Amino acid sequence: QGLTVPNSSHNRDYVYFENSSSNPYLIRRIEELNKTANGNVEAKVVCLFRRRDISGNLNTLADSNARDFEEESKQPTVSEQQKHQLKHRELFLSRQFESLPATHIRGKCNVTLLNETDVLAGYLEKEECFFYSLVFDPVQKTLLADQGEIRVGSKYQAEIPDKLAEGEEDTRIQEKLEVKVWHPDNQLKDPQIDQFLVVARAVGTFARALDCSSSIRQPSLHMSAAAASRDITLFHAMDTLQKNDYDLAKAMSTLVPQGGPVLCRDEMEEWSASEAMLFEEALEKYGKDFNDIRQDFLPWKSLASVVQFYYMWKTTDRYIQQKRLKAAEADSKLKQVYIPTYTKPNPNQIMAPGNKPGMNGAAGFQKGLSCESCRTAQSAQWYAWGPPNMQCRLCASCWIYWKKYGGLKTPTQLEGAARSGSESTPRGHMTRQEVQGLSPFTTSGGRAKLLAKNRQTFILQTTKLTRIARRVCTDILQPRSAARRPYASINANAVKAECMIRLPKATKAPIKNCSIPRPPLATIVKELAIQAPLKLKAPRGTPTPINRNQANQPRGGSALLGKRPFDSSVSSGLALALPFPTNGRPFTSGMRTTSQSVIKRQKVNQGDAPNPVVFVATKYTRALRKHLTQSEMRRAARKPHLPVRVKLPLPPRPLALAILPSSTSEPIVLED
């Protein structure tokens, strides 16, 4: 595919992973390389997300953060196309891990933390360079600033005040300034200071011997002496000298006041063994992210206490032992993996490489189509892109850009060129399958919920200038031809520009509207009565109740997508001996009844099913069916939209008939 794949990938490398032939590459950071039981190599990676992978609200938040960064760092002005391409270079770090086969690696890339001193346009000049400044949480769907921000720039520089002139008073508030804790130009010599520090250590050892909790933790004398020799004891001794103006006699009395010796303990002594184990577990999980360590493991500790304990913990034997174990474990794991060059053809190719270069066309694609991104009509290789019904294609260079950066070089209608300001619909450039949930980060349950949603109504509303352009530029627009080919693109900007040129030349006379007078209401009612079909009055009687449980009854042959057979039974004394279908022929023993399904019914999705409509036949309607012939019944079934004319026979006149006896006494003679 024209990509240069390095032969080896190491830990902590940022690489491209391919999970779909049509989707852009996934950008991941390799944490570990493990060999499976069957000999394959899997990479444990950290997920990084693009703008197309997050929601529209988070894209708006990312745009706001980008604007603030440009204002604070005073970035040079860039064009709209460069702004569009910079969004493809922005990534969002996460703490989500996943394991992917190493055979899916397609190349290396560079990802750096965005700094205030960086120039955004410089990323466009480098190939395969990305940046990130926000952290994305796929579970909570939030964007947060990265805690590892390097504080470099004008905002973090110290402001040096001007030197005071002779005799000028210092107007600064002294309480808000720094406090001096040591003055190097004092009257004491270095041997005297060292002797005082030895006395301070001895006092600290004695104080630990008197303290019950310290004697339990440090039962031996050399452990107490080692604890008293830590930095906290030296800081306390030097602070005591500063407060007593470097007078050794006063400082000695301050070390041992009336109540007993002063005991100074640091975080290593204050923390218990269980708290130290919790800290080591949190450090293994989160690294040096002290905010998360405190929030999830040690909420009763302050952030300053956690940070101080970390740097003191690094001086212990426990840290050295863990470092040796990790080094031995790292030696046993894979450090790099060889990746052969990927040479398999992409399924999205729509032209074989052996064809003539510049041939713009392939099987199933119309000729005359250009690249969706750069609008070129000549390329040695073409790739299908976007929804299949749109028949969009990309040239070889734009296809590589799409796979690496997840977008097109220039904004198009499919990718959201019509959007102004922030990207309100960041998934506008995705295919229909991707929108329905075919993303590597979407679970199968989430896809089922997306597919089960009802269709939403949308309105395409045109502007006044567009409606005028349809009339003025009919020769350019050709609406009849455009209606026959709705998939062909129309250059709306050229039509509107031509319309603005022709508008001043058009006649300024008002258009005469042929107003048709509206007839009165009585005339309308009379015409409706003539056009309405003949409706016979139904005899008054008790209305037939609607069967409310009809929806719960088995549908049988009367499914939504099948034909509607007549009921096999007729009420009110009109029952027949055999159930007749719509063609009038009786069922035989070898034929299926109406309760059986003749064909395999298509299962209707609940989201697409229409609202149920129930037609209840009255007693009078059933009686009218008796007066329809078989041909009229078939015609009504084939064309249900036409009205049915029913000719009722006249009721017979009553005749005065003589009442004959029901039986006679004479014999009945049958003659041949």
Side-chain angles (χ1 to χ4, degrees):
Q1 301 180 34
L3 297 177
T4 57
V5 181
N7 292 331
S8 62
S9 296
H10 302 74
N11 291 343
R12 313 296 294 180
D13 281 348
Y14 291 92
V15 295
Y16 296 115
F17 275 90
E18 185 174 26
N19 72 323
S20 173
S21 60
S22 58
N23 292 343
Y25 292 138
L26 307 177
I27 297 179
R28 299 291 185 262
R29 187 181 69 197
I30 299 178
E31 292 293 319
E32 293 179 2
L33 292 170
N34 302 316
K35 197 170 184 179
T36 60
N38 54 4
N40 298 329
V41 179
E42 284 189 352
K44 182 183 178 183
V45 296
V46 178
C47 299
L48 288 94
F49 296 88
R50 303 179 191 264
R51 275 181 172 262
R52 67 194 304 272
D53 301 324
I54 63 177
S55 63
N57 295 332
L58 295 183
N59 267 281
T60 306
L61 184 61
D63 290 337
S64 176
N65 180 74
R67 287 192 296 268
D68 295 342
F69 175 80
E70 292 175 2
E71 293 176 0
E72 292 176 0
S73 60
K74 299 179 181 179
Q75 293 288 328
T77 307
V78 294
S79 62
E80 292 296 328
Q81 184 175 355
Q82 287 178 323
K83 289 182 180 179
H84 172 75
Q85 294 181 0
L86 278 173
K87 292 181 179 180
H88 301 156
R89 302 298 183 103
E90 184 178 8
L91 300 177
F92 302 98
L93 186 66
S94 72
R95 293 195 181 93
Q96 179 178 338
F97 290 86
E98 61 183 6
S99 295
L100 296 174
T103 54
H104 290 187
I105 296 177
R106 297 293 179 262
K108 287 184 180 181
C109 59
N110 297 320
V111 181
T112 57
L113 177 64
L114 185 61
N115 200 335
E116 188 177 334
T117 58
D118 293 342
V119 179
L120 291 176
Y123 286 93
L124 299 178
E125 300 173 359
K126 304 175 185 177
E127 287 292 330
E128 302 176 0
C129 285
F130 301 87
F131 64 88
Y132 74 93
S133 61
L134 300 176
V135 178
F136 173 60
D137 188 352
V139 179
Q140 302 294 335
K141 306 296 182 186
T142 56
L143 277 180
L144 300 174
D146 184 43
Q147 300 296 333
E149 181 183 3
I150 302 175
R151 298 189 173 185
V152 177
S154 58
K155 188 168 61 175
Y156 304 106
Q157 300 301 319
E159 297 180 0
I160 302 176
D162 298 334
K163 187 177 180 180
L164 297 176
E166 294 183 2
E168 185 180 359
E169 294 183 0
D170 190 359
T171 58
R172 297 175 297 176
I173 302 175
Q174 299 298 323
E175 288 78 6
K176 293 184 179 181
L177 300 179
E178 294 81 2
V179 179
K180 183 189 294 185
V181 295
W182 183 256
H183 186 63
D185 299 332
N186 53 67
Q187 67 271 19
L188 296 179
K189 298 180 180 180
D190 291 343
Q192 292 177 315
I193 296 175
D194 293 339
Q195 290 175 355
F196 182 78
L197 294 179
V198 171
V199 173
R201 293 192 191 99
V203 172
T205 305
F206 179 64
R208 281 168 176 76
L210 297 178
D211 185 58
C212 297
S213 60
S214 299
S215 60
I216 294 174
R217 295 181 184 178
Q218 300 141 4
S220 61
L221 179 62
H222 70 276
M223 292 180 64
S224 299
S229 300
R230 300 185 65 84
D231 292 340
I232 187 67
T233 305
L234 302 181
F235 291 158
H236 174 65
M238 299 174 74
D239 186 50
T240 304
L241 286 175
Q242 170 69 19
K243 290 181 178 178
N244 292 278
D245 295 331
Y246 301 95
D247 188 350
L248 289 177
K250 292 182 180 178
M252 289 285 187
S253 60
T254 307
L255 284 179
V256 187
Q258 292 289 338
V262 176
L263 176 61
C264 301
R265 292 191 295 190
D266 55 10
E267 298 296 335
M268 286 296 297
E269 294 184 80
E270 291 289 346
W271 287 41
S272 63
S274 58
E275 290 175 339
M277 293 180 63
L278 281 175
F279 174 80
E280 292 178 0
E281 182 183 350
L283 194 67
E284 183 72 21
K285 181 178 181 181
Y286 292 129
K288 292 194 297 183
D289 196 339
F290 300 117
N291 284 311
D292 289 349
I293 290 175
R294 175 183 173 273
Q295 182 177 358
D296 295 344
F297 285 85
L298 300 164
W300 57 89
K301 296 288 185 182
S302 64
L303 185 61
S305 175
V306 173
V307 174
Q308 289 178 14
F309 181 81
Y310 168 73
Y311 287 104
M312 293 177 183
W313 173 79
K314 288 185 69 175
T315 63
T316 60
D317 295 337
R318 177 74 175 173
Y319 170 76
I320 298 174
Q321 292 175 3
Q322 287 194 0
K323 194 172 182 180
R324 289 175 180 173
L325 289 175
K326 287 184 178 180
E329 186 180 355
D331 291 338
S332 62
K333 290 185 177 180
L334 294 174
K335 295 184 178 60
Q336 64 180 9
V337 60
Y338 176 80
I339 305 297
T341 305
Y342 187 76
T343 57
K344 292 182 180 180
N346 194 292
N348 292 276
Q349 288 181 230
I350 57 176
M351 180 185 299
N355 289 359
K356 293 182 180 180
M359 290 283 293
N360 190 1
F365 274 72
Q366 291 195 355
K367 294 184 178 181
L369 297 179
S370 59
C371 177
E372 192 68 28
S373 177
C374 62
R375 299 300 177 186
T376 183
Q378 304 229 345
S379 178
Q381 182 63 55
W382 294 95
Y383 294 88
W385 180 82
N389 61 318
M390 298 297 293
Q391 292 193 351
C392 300
R393 57 174 60 183
L394 295 177
C395 62
S397 62
C398 292
W399 176 258
I400 295 175
Y401 186 91
W402 158 257
K403 294 290 286 184
K404 288 183 178 179
Y405 303 110
L408 301 184
K409 295 180 181 178
T410 56
T412 60
Q413 292 182 357
L414 289 180
E415 205 183 11
R419 298 194 299 266
S420 59
S422 62
E423 291 189 359
S424 58
T425 55
R427 296 181 180 265
H429 61 281
M430 296 176 64
T431 60
R432 177 175 56 86
Q433 289 82 5
E434 290 173 332
V435 176
Q436 288 179 347
L438 297 182
S439 173
F441 317 107
T442 308
T443 59
S444 58
R447 298 189 196 113
K449 290 180 181 179
L450 286 172
L451 293 175
K453 287 185 177 180
N454 294 331
R455 296 173 180 172
Q456 297 181 355
T457 307
F458 64 93
I459 301 174
L460 299 178
Q461 196 168 8
T462 57
T463 61
K464 186 179 293 185
L465 179 60
T466 306
R467 293 195 293 268
I468 295 174
R470 291 175 184 172
R471 302 295 183 90
V472 178
C473 303
T474 309
D475 54 337
I476 302 177
L477 184 60
Q478 297 180 357
R480 297 173 70 91
S481 176
R484 296 190 190 100
R485 300 175 61 196
Y487 52 84
S489 60
I490 298 174
N491 193 350
N493 295 328
V495 175
K496 290 181 180 179
E498 184 65 23
C499 176
M500 297 300 294
I501 297 174
R502 296 186 183 183
L503 270 179
K505 300 178 182 179
T507 176
K508 297 183 180 180
I511 302 175
K512 295 181 179 180
N513 295 329
C514 300
S515 59
I516 302 175
R518 183 177 179 181
L521 182 60
T523 308
I524 297 175
V525 173
K526 187 176 180 181
E527 291 180 358
L528 291 176
I530 296 173
Q531 296 176 3
L534 178 62
K535 292 184 180 180
L536 299 176
K537 280 188 177 182
R540 294 184 179 180
T542 58
T544 305
I546 297 177
N547 188 2
R548 299 291 181 184
N549 299 325
Q550 187 171 355
N552 301 326
Q553 295 175 358
R555 295 177 182 266
S558 58
L560 287 173
L561 299 179
K563 295 183 179 180
R564 295 171 294 179
F566 288 95
D567 295 335
S568 59
S569 60
V570 185
S571 59
S572 69
L574 297 175
L576 302 176
L578 291 174
F580 281 85
T582 55
N583 56 6
R585 298 178 183 177
F587 286 110
T588 60
S589 60
M591 297 179 63
R592 299 184 182 183
T593 60
T594 55
S595 62
Q596 297 173 339
S597 178
V598 180
I599 59 174
K600 187 177 180 181
R601 301 295 180 186
Q602 182 180 354
K603 192 173 182 180
V604 181
N605 188 8
Q606 296 181 358
D608 299 335
N611 295 328
V613 181
V614 182
F615 294 93
V616 181
T618 62
K619 182 179 179 181
Y620 184 70
T621 307
R622 297 191 190 98
L624 290 179
R625 295 175 184 169
K626 300 291 293 181
H627 299 287
L628 292 176
T629 62
Q630 288 188 2
S631 61
E632 291 175 343
M633 186 76 76
R634 293 175 186 171
R635 191 182 302 112
R638 294 190 187 102
K639 299 180 179 180
H641 59 282
L642 297 179
V644 180
R645 302 290 182 177
V646 182
K647 295 182 180 180
L648 293 177
L650 297 175
R653 296 181 180 180
L655 300 176
L657 300 177
I659 302 175
L660 299 177
S662 59
S663 63
T664 58
S665 59
E666 297 179 358
I668 300 174
V669 180
L670 300 176
E671 296 181 356
D672 192 357

